[in-house]
């Protein structure tokens, strides 16, 4: 999705903007641009393709300006082209604006402006903003932006500069994240903390329908109704190195390898081993109501949704609570009728996914209470929920979600365990769960030590253009997640199925050209999975089986075996997903795919 980085201060802005744009690359984009105030004017540079194309355009240009705005665009209205890339400008080239989101009423506004003689240069919805702000401007840029905000419908995070207002940037938001970075000698604005984390860890989140004026010396926030707002900066825990490769060829591999630490960070300070109870400070505000909850709905998208699907089984195992899991984009179309004291859990890495946000807003309207499991501190979902639990996993840069999935599974387990222990779950089971959770980081390390073996398996099969992933119960969502990973980064077609459904259709696909990844750890579904593997082998389908260490039965049947250490049935997903991630990663690598930035995808999907 689109990305924003802006700076005003004492340092030259060009390298800051380029650095910020590179750090936003992971969000997915097709063109980029920047506008820099300089010598009483504004210089505009834009390019289609990678940031390097923009960099080539500006590398030999002497740009001493210290105030500018920059953007990565992910096309929605109009093809990826230089004219459609941001920043956009008004006719007189006074106003320069960058925008994340969608202006829903841009069409009638454009018609009206065209009728009055305004000439448009692009096909974008964004360009109307530049013209409207120019028309409203009478010396005060914040006021012009405020007036424009009242005329537009849709979602936006915008940053604006004006030729006649040197060293001022006005930003505004409705629905698209914008964060102010408070620096030493200058201030930043960005759609994503990682764009400015090299320069500052002091951030201020802008709320919907607020705008802010940034200068080199400070920032002032006000509402769309011109009421001034006081908000002090918070410290973010992310470090610049978190968003660097540190010797790994791809962020995805780095993040797969970070999973033992991710899991440790998710449980650190949250376990009371003797009591068999986790401590989750983030849910204290709702605990009195939550502990009596009997109906829970989990909403999420993509990988976060599959975490929720595993979570349903875990809650059913450890608590007395009825759990539903819904794809956020579909949830809104349901006729929602919640029993009293229903809680909704929104799961989201970014905390900005538009469908998940829309789902929780609808649920709130219908009387449900909202919790969040979110990685990005201060993100929209974290602020719109009553309470929740942070993943504390650091930034996830690879578009394919890996370490956050493990973190989400861990936190769902902690939450279920906490509620279960206040319901019927025994001390023995609580203690056993905590011991097993604490052993997982080392067990993930063990799975990672099979990296070469998994790479060799991927090398053998990566040319197969159709794959099947099969699992039952806790392993069914892992089959779906495994198939999603393979699809999104290698572009190989893959299906994730409940193994019991095989006979109802997919078995027709089995052939020597179609590998099946069978998730068959030693759990309550083990014998049934063996039957499925036999069915595939009798039809000459190659089987890559993920099994518990020492399994001899499956070894005799399957073509390839990947072992995971033994754990509790409901914790196996945290181990079995790791080989699935590595299989996808290596298939994509053998196919020379753009692993961290797969085609057509964005890290944070902020449009519906
Ligand atoms: O930020 P979120 O967790 O809300 O994102 C949800 C999905 O867009 C995300 O998990 C997506 O499916 C990933 N690319 C999967 O690897």
């Amino acid at each position: 999705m689109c990305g924003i980085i802006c700076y005003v201060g004492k340092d030259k802005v060009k390298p800051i903007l380029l650095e910020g744009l590179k750090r936003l690359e992971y969000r997915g984009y097709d063109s980029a641009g920047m506008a820099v105030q300089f010598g009483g004017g504004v210089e505009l540079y834009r390019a289609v393709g990678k940031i390097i194309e923009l960099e080539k355009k500006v590398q030999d240009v002497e740009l001493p300006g210290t105030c500018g705005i920059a953007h990565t665009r992910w096309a929605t209205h109009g093809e990826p082209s230089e004219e459609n890339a941001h920043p956009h400008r008004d006719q007189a080239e006074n106003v320069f604006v960058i925008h994340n989101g969608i202006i829903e009423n841009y069409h009638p506004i454009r018609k009206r402006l065209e009728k009055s003689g305004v000439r448009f240069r692009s096909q974008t919805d964004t360009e109307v903003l530049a013209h409207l702000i120019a028309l409203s401007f009478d010396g005060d840029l914040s006021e012009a932006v405020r007036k424009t905000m009242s005329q537009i419908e849709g979602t936006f995070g915008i940053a604006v500069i004006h030729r006649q207002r040197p060293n001022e940037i006005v930003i505004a938001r409705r629905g698209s994240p914008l964060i102010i970075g408070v620096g030493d000698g200058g201030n930043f604005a960005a759609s994503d903390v990682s764009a400015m984390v090299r320069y500052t860890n002091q951030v201020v989140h802008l709320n919907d329908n607020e705008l802010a004026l940034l200068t080199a010396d400070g920032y002032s926030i006000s509402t769309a109704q011109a009421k001034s707002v006081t908000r002090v900066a918070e410290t973010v825990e992310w470090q610049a190195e978190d968003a660097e490769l540190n010797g790994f060829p791809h962020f995805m591999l780095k993040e797969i390898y970070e999973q033992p630490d991710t899991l440790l960070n998710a449980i650190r300070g949250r376990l009371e081993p003797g009591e068999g109870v986790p401590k989750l400070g983030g849910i204290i505000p709702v605990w009195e109501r939550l502990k009596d909850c009997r109906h829970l709905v989990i909403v999420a998208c993509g990988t976060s949704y599959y975490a929720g699907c595993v979570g349903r089984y875990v809650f059913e195992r450890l608590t007395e609570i009825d759990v539903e899991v819904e794809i956020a984009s579909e949830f809104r179309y349901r006729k929602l009728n919640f029993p009293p004291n229903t809680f909704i859990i929104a799961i989201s890495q970014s905390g900005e996914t538009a469908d998940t946000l829309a789902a929780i807003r609808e649920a709130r309207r219908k009387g449900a209470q909202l919790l969040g499991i979110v990685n990005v501190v201060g993100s929209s979902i974290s602020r719109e929920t009553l309470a929740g639990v942070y993943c504390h996993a650091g930034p996830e840069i690879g578009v394919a979600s890996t370490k956050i999935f493990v973190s989400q599974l861990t936190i769902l387990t902690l939450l279920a365990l906490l509620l279960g222990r206040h319901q019927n779950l025994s001390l023995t089971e609580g203690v056993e769960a905590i011991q097993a959770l604490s052993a997982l980081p080392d067990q993930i390390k063990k799975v990672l030590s099979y990296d070469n073996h998994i790479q060799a398996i991927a090398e053998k099969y990566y040319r197969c253009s159709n794959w099947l992933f099969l699992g039952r119960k806790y392993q069914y969502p892992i089959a779906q997640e495994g198939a999603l990973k393979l699809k999104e980064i290698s572009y190989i077609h893959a299906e994730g199925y409940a193994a019991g459904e095989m006979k109802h259709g997919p078995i027709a696909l089995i052939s020597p050209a179609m590998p099946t990844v069978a998730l068959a750890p030693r759990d309550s579904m083990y014998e049934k999975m063996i039957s499925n593997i036999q069915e595939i082998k009798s039809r000459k389908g190659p089987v890559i089986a993920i099994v518990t260490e020492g399994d001899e039965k499956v070894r005799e049947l399957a073509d390839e075996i990947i072992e995971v250490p033994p754990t509790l049935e409901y914790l196996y997903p945290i181990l079995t997903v790791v080989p699935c991630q590595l299989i996808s990663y290596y298939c994509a690598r053998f196919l020379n795919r753009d692993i961290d930035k797969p085609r057509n995808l964005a890290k944070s999907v902020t449009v519906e």
Side-chain angles (χ1 to χ4, degrees):
M1 295 281 114
C2 306
I4 286 176
I5 173 74
C6 312
Y7 173 75
V8 50
K10 62 177 172 44
D11 294 318
K12 283 189 188 164
V13 74
K14 181 174 90 172
I16 295 174
L17 295 183
L18 284 172
E19 156 81 16
L21 288 176
K22 284 182 193 156
R23 286 180 185 264
L24 290 170
E25 277 191 297
Y26 77 99
R27 293 168 64 103
Y29 68 104
D30 45 52
S31 50
M34 63 165 75
V36 175
Q37 287 183 336
F38 167 48
V42 176
E43 303 277 324
L44 175 67
Y45 299 93
R46 298 178 295 183
V48 177
K50 301 280 177 202
I51 305 297
I52 184 86
E53 301 305 324
L54 180 67
E55 203 167 9
K56 281 185 207 157
K57 283 195 168 178
V58 295
Q59 68 190 2
D60 297 326
V61 184
E62 183 54 30
L63 266 180
T66 61
C67 173
I69 58 177
H71 189 261
T72 49
R73 174 174 188 252
W74 190 80
T76 56
H77 294 63
E79 55 171 14
S81 69
E82 201 171 311
E83 258 328 320
N84 287 334
H86 302 208
H88 289 283
R89 58 210 192 279
D90 70 310
Q91 231 166 285
E93 309 206 2
N94 283 321
V95 173
F96 291 76
V97 58
I98 54 181
H99 164 223
N100 287 1
I102 290 177
I103 306 299
E104 283 163 8
N105 60 339
Y106 90 98
H107 194 67
I109 297 177
R110 181 174 176 140
K111 288 276 154 252
R112 171 164 60 80
L113 291 173
E114 279 176 336
K115 253 192 187 156
S116 68
V118 173
R119 271 188 303 106
F120 276 74
R121 298 180 173 96
S122 77
Q123 300 151 308
T124 65
D125 52 335
T126 303
E127 194 180 337
V128 298
L129 295 171
H131 298 296
L132 289 176
I133 294 167
L135 288 168
S136 301
F137 180 76
D138 60 5
D140 183 335
L141 187 55
S142 299
E143 258 327 294
V145 171
R146 203 186 316 278
K147 281 183 192 150
T148 302
M149 283 170 82
S150 69
Q151 298 175 59
I152 52 181
E153 287 162 19
T155 54
F156 56 85
I158 58 174
V160 190
I161 53 174
H162 196 291
R163 196 163 53 87
Q164 293 160 24
R165 300 299 308 173
N167 301 315
E168 278 186 6
I169 300 172
V170 174
I171 61 172
R173 103 161 239 183
R174 186 186 297 154
S176 268
L178 266 185
I179 306 152
I180 299 168
V182 185
D184 194 9
N187 292 301
F188 302 78
S191 49
D192 190 322
V193 174
S194 56
M196 51 194 183
V197 80
R198 165 173 276 216
Y199 303 100
T200 180
N201 64 355
Q202 297 299 302
V203 303
V204 182
H205 291 268
L206 208 62
N207 285 341
D208 275 347
N209 294 312
E210 285 181 349
L211 58 160
L213 171 66
L214 307 188
T215 61
D217 304 322
Y219 63 91
S220 57
I221 304 177
S222 55
T223 65
Q225 289 73 38
K227 253 179 78 186
S228 116
V229 174
T230 309
R231 193 167 303 137
V232 293
E234 301 165 47
T235 306
V236 286
E237 29 174 73
W238 296 3
Q239 309 294 320
E241 312 79 71
D242 289 341
E244 278 155 20
L245 280 167
N246 296 337
F248 282 89
H250 297 99
F251 281 107
M252 181 179 176
L253 191 63
K254 176 181 176 238
E255 286 155 8
I256 291 173
Y257 268 82
E258 279 171 357
Q259 291 179 120
D261 287 335
T262 312
L263 202 140
L264 265 180
N265 290 338
I267 59 176
R268 180 169 290 127
R270 288 173 168 164
L271 302 181
E272 291 212 40
E275 298 295 313
V277 183
K279 289 181 290 189
L280 296 171
I283 55 157
I284 290 172
V286 293
W287 178 244
E288 283 309 310
R289 278 167 285 149
L290 183 61
K291 72 179 179 9
D292 297 324
C293 159
R294 286 291 178 275
H295 190 234
L296 196 65
V297 184
I298 300 176
V299 290
C301 302
T303 291
S304 299
Y305 167 73
Y306 295 133
C309 293
V310 176
R312 171 173 46 200
Y313 288 112
V314 180
F315 270 88
E316 283 171 3
R317 165 71 182 79
L318 301 179
T319 75
E320 307 299 309
I321 301 172
D322 291 334
V323 184
E324 287 176 65
V325 194
E326 275 278 5
I327 292 174
S329 55
E330 286 297 313
F331 179 75
R332 305 167 68 194
Y333 308 124
R334 298 268 315 279
K335 189 170 177 206
L336 301 173
N337 190 4
F338 301 124
N341 208 24
T342 293
F343 273 84
I344 304 285
I345 304 183
I347 308 179
S348 174
Q349 185 285 129
S350 59
E352 301 295 349
T353 301
D355 287 322
T356 311
L357 265 169
I360 61 170
R361 286 173 185 157
E362 188 56 25
R364 185 173 45 215
R365 229 169 266 135
K366 298 283 166 27
Q369 306 167 85
L370 308 179
L371 296 180
I373 296 179
V374 169
N375 187 41
V376 179
V377 175
S379 56
S380 301
I381 293 177
S382 75
R383 284 177 304 131
E384 292 205 22
T385 43
L386 291 172
V389 187
Y390 279 121
C391 294
H392 294 311
E396 189 180 64
I397 308 287
V399 162
S401 188
T402 52
K403 65 174 180 174
I404 301 297
F405 183 70
V406 157
S407 191
Q408 291 166 339
L409 294 184
T410 309
I411 287 163
L412 283 162
T413 308
L414 293 180
L415 198 53
L417 188 58
L418 177 61
L419 287 161
R421 289 284 290 119
H422 281 84
Q423 296 173 352
N424 286 338
L425 201 71
S426 69
L427 171 65
T428 316
E429 285 197 279
V431 171
E432 177 189 55
I434 286 187
Q435 280 168 356
L437 274 164
S438 310
L440 283 171
D442 283 339
Q443 293 184 318
I444 298 177
K445 279 188 195 153
K446 185 127 189 237
V447 181
L448 291 171
S449 74
Y450 305 137
D451 182 312
N452 287 341
H453 171 58
I454 298 172
Q455 183 173 349
I457 294 174
E459 188 168 14
K460 201 161 156 191
Y461 296 99
Y462 76 91
R463 290 186 195 84
C464 299
S465 39
N466 294 291
W467 289 52
L468 192 60
F469 285 72
L470 292 182
R472 286 173 184 258
K473 202 173 169 183
Y474 296 99
Q475 298 301 324
Y476 166 39
I478 300 304
Q480 293 175 298
E481 169 60 7
L484 175 67
K485 279 297 82 92
L486 189 63
K487 272 186 272 220
E488 70 179 328
I489 57 161
S490 70
Y491 318 147
I492 293 173
H493 171 243
E495 301 267 0
Y497 253 92
E501 277 290 289
M502 253 255 298
K503 299 189 214 47
H504 302 286
I507 199 163
L509 295 168
I510 300 297
S511 82
M514 179 155 172
T516 297
V517 176
L519 293 144
R522 228 173 229 294
D523 61 10
S524 59
M525 297 291 109
Y526 176 69
E527 296 298 339
K528 286 199 185 319
M529 279 305 296
I530 290 194
S531 307
N532 290 124
I533 293 172
Q534 274 160 338
E535 284 158 9
I536 298 164
K537 283 319 301 170
S538 5
R539 285 155 187 87
K540 302 199 169 23
V543 172
I544 302 162
I546 300 175
V547 297
T548 305
E549 278 170 3
D551 188 310
E552 290 307 324
K553 258 188 181 173
V554 180
R555 186 178 292 275
E556 279 178 20
L557 292 171
D559 299 80
E560 320 291 343
I561 287 284
I562 304 168
E563 292 188 333
V564 299
T567 185
L568 298 175
E569 176 168 24
Y570 57 86
L571 297 180
Y572 266 123
I574 294 177
L575 297 178
T576 54
V577 74
V578 180
C580 295
Q581 296 166 342
L582 284 171
I583 290 172
S584 306
Y585 172 77
Y586 283 114
C587 284
R589 207 159 137 177
F590 287 121
L591 290 164
N592 277 323
R593 304 301 193 216
D594 193 353
I595 293 180
D596 287 332
K597 288 165 259 159
R599 69 183 180 205
N600 307 335
L601 286 173
K603 182 67 185 166
S604 175
V605 185
T606 50
V607 291
E608 285 172 31

